Coordinates of all heavy atoms in Angstrom, one line a residue:
D10 N 102.6 88.1 122.6 CA 103.5 89.0 121.8 C 103.8 88.4 120.4 O 104.1 87.3 120.3 CB 104.8 89.2 122.5 CG 104.7 90.0 123.8 OD1 103.6 90.6 124.1 OD2 105.8 90.2 124.4
W27 N 99.9 91.4 118.7 CA 100.1 92.3 119.9 C 101.6 92.7 119.9 O 102.4 91.7 119.7 CB 99.6 91.7 121.2 CG 99.9 92.6 122.3 CD1 101.1 92.7 123.1 CD2 99.1 93.6 122.8 NE1 100.9 93.7 124.0 CE2 99.7 94.3 123.9 CE3 97.7 94.1 122.5 CZ2 99.1 95.3 124.6 CZ3 97.2 95.1 123.2 CH2 97.9 95.7 124.3
H28 N 101.9 93.9 120.1 CA 103.3 94.4 120.3 C 103.4 95.2 121.6 O 102.6 96.1 121.8 CB 103.8 95.2 119.1 CG 103.8 94.4 117.8 ND1 104.9 93.9 117.2 CD2 102.7 94.0 117.0 CE1 104.6 93.2 116.2 NE2 103.3 93.3 116.0
P29 N 104.4 94.9 122.4 CA 104.5 95.6 123.7 C 104.8 97.1 123.5 O 105.2 97.5 122.4 CB 105.7 94.9 124.4 CG 105.8 93.5 123.7 CD 105.3 93.7 122.4
A30 N 104.5 97.9 124.5 CA 104.7 99.3 124.4 C 106.1 99.7 123.9 O 106.2 100.7 123.2 CB 104.4 100.0 125.7
G31 N 107.1 99.1 124.3 CA 108.5 99.4 124.0 C 108.8 99.0 122.6 O 110.0 99.0 122.2
D32 N 107.9 98.4 121.8 CA 108.2 97.7 120.5 C 107.2 98.1 119.5 O 106.4 97.3 119.0 CB 108.1 96.2 120.8 CG 108.4 95.4 119.6 OD1 109.1 95.9 118.7 OD2 108.0 94.2 119.5
P33 N 107.2 99.5 119.1 CA 106.2 99.9 118.2 C 106.4 99.3 116.8 O 107.6 99.4 116.3 CB 106.4 101.4 118.1 CG 107.7 101.7 118.7 CD 108.1 100.5 119.6
P34 N 105.4 98.7 116.3 CA 105.5 98.1 114.9 C 105.4 99.1 113.8 O 104.8 100.1 114.0 CB 104.4 97.0 114.9 CG 103.3 97.6 115.7 CD 104.1 98.4 116.9
R95 N 98.9 105.9 130.1 CA 100.1 105.1 130.0 C 100.0 104.1 128.8 O 98.9 103.4 128.8 CB 100.4 104.3 131.3 CG 101.6 103.3 131.2 CD 101.9 102.7 132.6 NE 100.8 101.9 133.2 CZ 100.5 100.6 132.9 NH1 101.3 99.9 132.0 NH2 99.5 100.0 133.6
L96 N 100.9 104.1 127.9 CA 100.8 103.2 126.7 C 101.0 101.8 127.2 O 101.8 101.4 128.0 CB 101.9 103.5 125.8 CG 102.0 102.8 124.4 CD1 100.7 103.0 123.6 CD2 103.2 103.2 123.6
L97 N 100.0 100.9 126.7 CA 100.0 99.5 127.1 C 100.7 98.6 126.0 O 101.3 97.6 126.3 CB 98.6 99.0 127.3 CG 97.8 99.7 128.4 CD1 96.4 99.2 128.4 CD2 98.5 99.4 129.8
G98 N 100.5 99.0 124.7 CA 101.0 98.2 123.6 C 100.2 98.6 122.4 O 99.5 99.6 122.3
Y99 N 100.5 97.8 121.3 CA 100.0 98.1 120.0 C 99.4 96.8 119.4 O 99.9 95.7 119.7 CB 101.1 98.5 119.0 CG 101.8 99.8 119.4 CD1 103.0 99.6 120.2 CD2 101.4 101.0 119.1 CE1 103.7 100.8 120.6 CE2 102.1 102.2 119.4 CZ 103.3 102.0 120.2 OH 104.0 103.1 120.6
F118 N 97.1 101.0 122.4 CA 96.1 100.7 123.5 C 96.7 101.4 124.7 O 97.9 101.3 124.9 CB 96.0 99.2 123.8 CG 95.0 98.5 122.9 CD1 95.3 98.4 121.5 CD2 93.8 98.2 123.2 CE1 94.5 97.8 120.6 CE2 92.8 97.6 122.4 CZ 93.1 97.3 121.1
R162 N 94.3 91.2 126.5 CA 95.7 91.5 126.7 C 95.8 92.9 127.2 O 96.7 93.1 128.0 CB 96.5 91.3 125.3 CG 97.9 91.7 125.3 CD 98.7 90.8 126.4 NE 100.1 91.3 126.6 CZ 101.1 90.8 125.9 NH1 101.0 89.9 125.0 NH2 102.3 91.3 126.2
E166 N 97.7 94.0 130.6 CA 98.7 95.0 130.7 C 98.3 96.1 131.6 O 99.2 96.7 132.2 CB 99.0 95.6 129.3 CG 99.7 94.5 128.3 CD 101.0 94.1 128.8 OE1 101.8 94.9 129.3 OE2 101.4 92.9 128.5

Side-chain angles (χ1 to χ4, degrees):
D10 289 354
W27 180 271
H28 296 259
D32 184 20
R95 177 174 58 88
L96 182 62
L97 301 172
Y99 303 91
F118 281 72
R162 177 60 187 268
E166 293 295 326

